[in-house]
Amino acid sequence: MADLEIELPPPPEQLRLRSESPGISTSDISAHVSTADPTPSITRNLDDTFDEKTDNEEALESGDEEPGEIVRHYLTYATELPQPTSICPTREGQPPSPEAPNLKKYTSPFDWPEKRKSLTIYIACFITALTAFSAGSYSPGVEQMTEEWHVSSVAAYVGITTFTCGFAIAPMVLAPFSEIYGRHPVFIASGILFVVCQLCTGLTQSYTGMLVVRFFTGVGGSTFSTMVGGVVSDIYHAEDRNTPMALFSGGALFGTGWGPLVCGFVAQHASWRWIFYLQVILNAFAVALICAIFKETRGSVLLYRKADALNKYYAAREAAGYFTVAMPSPGKPTTTPQRIRWKVSSDADRTSLTRMIHTSLTRPFTLLFTEPILFSFSLWVAFSWAILYLTLAAIPLVFTQNHSFSLAQSNAVFAAMCIAALLATALSIYQEKIAKRYGKISSTPEGRLYFACIESACMPIGLFMFGWTSAKDTHWIFPAVAIGIATIGIFSIYLSTFNYLADTYHRYASSALAAQSFCRNILAGVFPLVTRQMYEKLTFGGASSLLGGIGTLLTIVPWVLVFYGEAIRRRSKFASEIIGGRD
C-alpha cells in the first residue's frame, strides 16, 4: 500500500559554489564526457544540450566581431548570478536587451515558505489517504463479487493481491522517471491512470478483468504514495522530517481503515460497483488538485530548469548584440567580462535511463540480501503491514460470525483503526518535540528507534487481545479496542523503518526503502488469502496468538539496533561509507 521513496539532497560539497574553478571550458567538458558511462543516454543532459551551438552563435563566431568563447559554469542554489555588462544599446539600430527571466519559481524547495511546505504536505497526505482508501475499500464488495462471478471468497480476495503487486513493482520503474523529469509530471500521468483504472474496475464484467485492472490500479496508485516520501525529503532536511513523515504515515493507516468504513455502507445499500464509482469522483478531484496547486518539489529538476531559463536568456541577449556578463575573478575583487552558459553537476553524474531502471530493479535486492539491518527491518515492517491487510478479511469474519453484525456494521469497526491512526500521528509529533526540548534524542540513526522500542509492542499486544476477546460472550468493544492498539504499533514500526533506513543508508536510502517496500506489499497481498482458513482451523484465539507470538519475536529488532546498531553499521559496506563520510 502506501509506499515510500526518498531522494536525499546532495551533500554540502556539491551545493557549494565552485569558486576555485568559476569556468569550465569546452575541452574540460569533452574530457569529462569521454570518461562517463558509454551507454547512450536519453536523459536531459545539460552538457549535451548546451554544447550544441545555435546558428546565431556560429554566425557570431564567424563574423567580424569577436565576442569570445562561451565558458560554462556549474550552477548551484548558492551561486550568485553575475550582472550583465551592458543593458543599453551601444550602436544605432540595436534592439534593447531582453528582459531577465523571473527565477523565483526555481527557488530551492528547502527555502520555500513554511506555509507552502505545509500545503504541499497536506495535499500529499490527502492523496496518500485516498490511495490507501482504494486498498481497503475492495473487501466490502467481495461477497457480491463471489455471487456475481461464482468464485470463492479467497479467489475474490486475489483482487487485493494483484493491487499490492502493482504497488510493489511499479515504484522501482517509476522512481527514475521522477528523478529525471520531476515529481509533478509523474504524479499527473499516474493519477490519470489511477482514475481510469478505477472507472474500469467499476465497469468490468468478468473476474479476470477485475484482477487485471486491479493490478494497474495499484501501479497508478503506487506513485501517489511512493513519491510522498520523496516529496518530504525534497523540501525538509533530515532533522525536520519527523512531523511530515508522521502525517504521511498517519494518512496511510487512516486511509486503510477509511476505505472499508465508508464502502461497507455503500456495499450494503448499493451495488459493489459504486465502491469504485465513488473513488473515481474522489480521485479525479485529487488529480485536479495536483494540477492546480501542487508544484514541482525535486530540487535538481528545478535547478535544471533555472539553468535552462538563464541560458535561453543569454542566447536572446547575444542575438540582440549583448554578449557578456561580469563574472567574478577567482581570488580577486575584480570581474571579468565573459560569455557564459550554466550547467548542473547532477546531470553530469547521471547515467542513462536504462541503466537507472536496471539499478532500481537490482540494487534493492542486493542490499536486501547483503545488509542485515535492511533484512531485519524488511521482515519486521513486512509482517506488520501484512497484519494491517489481514484485518481487511479478519474483521468482517469475526464480527459477522461472533457478534451478528451486518456488512455495514462489521466494516464500521474500522473506525477504531482510523481513530488510532490519528492518535498515533499526534503522539509521534509531540513526543519527539518534548524529547528534543529536554535533550533526550540522540543525533544518531538509533535515536529514531527509542520510541519504537516501546510503542511497537502495541502490535503483538493488540493481536493477543483481539484473539482472546473475539468470543461471542465478550462485548464487541474489546476486540475493536484491540484493533486500535495494534494500529498504533504498526504506525510506530512503519515510521521508524523509514526514518532509520533513510538516516543509515543516506545516498542508498531510495534502494533500501524500495526493498522493504517490495517485501511489505507482497506479503500484505498474501495474508488476506489465508485469513479465513487460518482463523477457522486455529480458532480466533489460536490464530491471533500465533501472529502475536511472531510479532513479539520481531519486536527485538529495534532493541538490538539501539544497543548494537552503530557497530553493525560500521561492518556494513554501504552504511559504513556514510559513517566514514561523517567522521
Side-chain angles (χ1 to χ4, degrees):
M1 202 210 59
D3 234 355
L4 293 171
E5 181 239 358
I6 173 172
E7 283 78 42
L8 295 171
E13 59 267 24
Q14 290 188 12
L15 293 175
R16 196 176 297 118
L17 175 62
R18 305 188 181 191
S19 57
E20 298 83 4
S21 302
I24 308 295
S25 67
T26 305
S27 59
D28 293 334
I29 296 172
S30 301
H32 175 80
V33 174
S34 66
T35 61
D37 180 9
T39 305
S41 174
I42 64 171
T43 62
R44 300 176 304 170
N45 193 307
L46 280 170
D47 291 359
D48 299 336
T49 302
F50 300 148
D51 279 346
E52 297 176 1
K53 297 180 180 179
T54 64
D55 293 338
N56 180 65
E57 290 169 355
E58 292 178 351
L60 286 170
E61 292 179 358
S62 62
D64 296 332
E65 186 175 8
E66 295 292 341
E69 292 185 358
I70 293 177
V71 183
R72 292 166 174 81
H73 300 261
Y74 280 108
L75 179 68
T76 72
Y77 283 115
T79 302
E80 183 177 351
L81 298 179
Q83 296 298 318
T85 54
S86 61
I87 58 175
C88 298
T90 58
R91 65 177 184 270
E92 186 178 353
Q94 183 180 12
S97 174
E99 185 177 351
N102 181 8
L103 302 178
K104 186 176 182 181
K105 58 184 176 181
Y106 306 121
T107 302
S108 170
F110 290 115
D111 298 328
W112 284 0
E114 196 59 37
K115 287 185 178 180
R116 182 175 177 182
K117 289 184 178 182
S118 298
L119 178 62
T120 300
I121 292 300
Y122 293 151
I123 294 174
C125 290
F126 172 67
I127 297 169
T128 297
L130 285 183
T131 307
F133 183 102
S134 180
S137 64
Y138 180 88
S139 60
V142 163
E143 185 176 347
Q144 291 186 44
M145 294 177 197
T146 59
E147 295 175 357
E148 181 172 337
W149 293 323
H150 306 292
V151 296
S152 67
S153 60
V154 174
Y157 275 117
V158 174
I160 294 179
T161 306
T162 57
F163 180 88
T164 57
C165 285
F167 239 100
I169 297 170
M172 295 188 179
V173 178
L174 294 176
F177 284 91
S178 76
E179 294 176 9
I180 297 170
Y181 300 109
R183 314 292 187 193
H184 190 266
V186 177
F187 269 168
I188 298 299
S190 60
I192 293 173
L193 175 65
F194 191 49
V195 173
V196 170
C197 288
Q198 291 283 25
L199 180 60
C200 293
T201 306
L203 296 174
T204 186
Q205 299 297 315
S206 68
Y207 169 68
T208 304
M210 170 63 78
L211 299 186
V212 173
V213 173
R214 282 289 287 177
F215 174 81
F216 287 103
T217 304
V219 170
S222 67
T223 305
F224 277 166
S225 287
T226 58
M227 299 303 168
V228 173
V231 168
V232 172
S233 62
D234 286 343
I235 63 180
Y236 288 101
H237 294 290
E239 61 272 15
D240 300 321
R241 286 188 196 130
N242 184 71
T243 294
M245 279 309 305
L247 293 172
F248 165 72
S249 303
L253 269 72
F254 179 86
T256 306
W258 183 30
L261 171 64
V262 172
C263 294
F265 290 94
V266 174
Q268 179 161 321
H269 300 288
S271 166
W272 62 267
R273 298 180 186 278
W274 274 101
I275 291 175
F276 302 102
Y277 296 154
L278 173 64
Q279 292 179 74
V280 170
I281 298 171
L282 293 174
N283 296 331
F285 171 75
V287 174
L289 197 64
I290 294 173
C291 293
I293 299 177
F294 193 87
K295 304 299 181 184
E296 181 57 57
T297 64
R298 185 152 177 81
S300 61
V301 173
L302 291 173
L303 190 60
Y304 171 90
R305 294 175 183 174
K306 181 177 181 179
D308 191 36
L310 286 169
N311 289 336
K312 288 179 179 178
Y313 167 61
Y314 296 146
R317 277 179 49 84
E318 292 179 4
Y322 305 88
F323 297 103
T324 60
V325 296
M327 286 298 297
S329 301
K332 300 178 182 179
T334 59
T335 60
T336 303
Q338 286 183 0
R339 293 178 65 198
I340 69 168
R341 295 291 187 273
W342 296 110
K343 59 183 292 184
V344 181
S345 60
S346 61
D347 281 343
D349 295 335
R350 285 177 180 167
T351 59
S352 69
L353 180 61
T354 303
R355 184 174 293 273
M356 290 181 71
I357 293 177
H358 177 266
T359 302
S360 295
L361 292 173
T362 57
R363 183 183 287 166
F365 297 104
T366 301
L367 289 171
L368 181 64
F369 294 112
T370 60
E371 293 289 307
I373 291 176
L374 179 58
F375 182 83
S376 58
F377 261 102
S378 297
L379 186 63
W380 188 35
V381 75
F383 179 78
S384 69
W385 212 246
I387 294 299
L388 183 70
Y389 272 69
L390 175 139
T391 61
L392 299 177
I395 288 177
L397 178 66
V398 169
F399 285 89
T400 54
Q401 285 193 9
N402 287 2
H403 299 284
S404 302
F405 278 21
S406 66
L407 177 63
Q409 289 172 331
S410 61
N411 282 281
V413 176
F414 282 97
M417 183 182 293
C418 296
I419 294 171
L422 295 176
L423 291 175
T425 301
L427 177 64
S428 177
I429 292 173
Y430 288 105
Q431 70 188 8
E432 177 158 302
K433 289 183 177 180
I434 294 173
K436 282 183 176 180
R437 185 182 305 167
Y438 291 98
K440 301 298 183 181
I441 291 291
S442 170
S443 60
T444 65
E446 286 71 35
R448 300 284 195 175
L449 302 177
Y450 294 163
F451 295 114
C453 288
I454 304 301
E455 293 166 4
S456 63
C458 290
M459 184 186 69
I461 291 172
L463 287 171
F464 283 118
M465 182 177 174
F466 179 76
W468 296 106
T469 60
S470 296
K472 296 180 180 179
D473 56 352
T474 304
H475 195 278
W476 63 266
I477 194 65
F478 294 104
V481 170
I483 292 166
I485 294 174
T487 301
I488 292 175
I490 294 171
F491 175 94
S492 175
I493 296 168
Y494 187 56
L495 180 60
S496 63
T497 295
F498 175 88
N499 286 332
Y500 187 83
L501 293 180
D503 287 355
T504 297
Y505 291 101
H506 199 66
R507 54 184 282 215
Y508 301 110
S510 181
S511 295
L513 290 164
Q516 64 82 24
S517 170
F518 181 85
C519 297
R520 179 163 52 83
N521 283 290
I522 292 298
L523 190 61
V526 172
F527 264 46
L529 304 182
V530 301
T531 301
R532 177 176 288 273
Q533 296 90 325
M534 182 171 60
Y535 273 88
E536 289 179 348
K537 292 182 178 180
L538 299 180
T539 72
F540 295 136
S544 294
S545 295
L546 173 63
L547 298 172
I550 296 173
T552 301
L553 290 175
L554 291 173
T555 304
I556 196 174
V557 170
W559 288 97
V560 170
L561 290 174
V562 162
F563 290 104
Y564 304 105
E566 184 173 353
I568 296 173
R569 286 188 287 118
R570 287 189 179 279
R571 289 196 294 268
S572 163
K573 173 185 175 182
F574 295 94
S576 61
E577 292 184 24
I578 310 305
I579 296 177
R582 288 170 179 168
D583 293 343

